[in-house]
Amino acid sequence: MAIITEEDRLREYENIKEILDELDVAAEILRIGDESEMSCMMISLPTEVEDWREEYKTDLHMATAHLIQLSEDQEQLTKYLMVYVPVQVDLRETDELEVLRLINRINNTLAVGTCFYGKEPTSERMLLQIKWMIGGRVDENLDEGVVCEAIYELGATYDRLKAQLLELAGESAK
């Protein structure tokens, strides 16, 4: 059993970055003090959408990953990589009940993770995020296959949800 230290986080992020580099998936480690209270990773999600920069004009298609444990003051057997990505679509003119129905359908199909829709605590604006959690033993690197599959699935889920939300909002999805 152990408590995850900042060194442990950075080692795990370096390992994940090496894995993603081999797959040509861009990832960057943000250390404490680099605009971050806790070190984290930024991951450019893989996508099947051609010309995604034009398609997703308002967002960067980026996920944030944090390595956490359930308690900071107790030794743990498990560590978790929480990966989340905001889905930015202007839904102000969209029927909220339809948005909730869509999110419910998506949540029913996700094997891992969840879609979250609610008010952002700091601004009171509505926020839509996809969140995934990958677990592993605290004394070993996270499983390479699990990390890779999760990142690709998160990218595919993002693409699917973004297209369906754009359709609901009345925008044309390419």
Side-chain angles (χ1 to χ4, degrees), residues 43-62:
I43 301 167
S44 180
L45 293 176
T47 181
E48 295 294 321
V49 175
E50 291 184 35
D51 301 322
W52 69 267
R53 287 188 177 146
E54 180 63 27
E55 177 75 17
Y56 299 153
K57 293 174 191 146
T58 61
D59 75 69
L60 299 173
H61 208 237
M62 296 287 286

Side-chain angles (χ1 to χ4, degrees), residues 93-131:
E93 302 298 320
T94 308
D95 180 0
E96 189 171 45
L97 185 56
E98 289 303 314
V99 173
L100 292 171
R101 285 183 179 136
L102 173 60
I103 291 167
N104 188 48
R105 283 193 306 272
I106 294 284
N107 279 333
N108 283 329
T109 63
L110 292 178
V112 178
T114 187
C115 287
F116 168 79
Y117 180 68
K119 285 191 176 160
E120 186 176 43
T122 55
S123 71
E124 293 298 309
R125 73 181 173 127
M126 294 307 283
L127 175 69
L128 179 63
Q129 288 183 340
I130 307 169
K131 298 179 180 184

Side-chain angles (χ1 to χ4, degrees), residues 153-167:
E153 283 298 316
L154 184 56
T157 300
Y158 178 93
D159 288 341
R160 189 171 71 245
L161 181 58
K162 180 84 173 194
Q164 291 173 337
L165 286 167
L166 287 171
E167 190 176 306

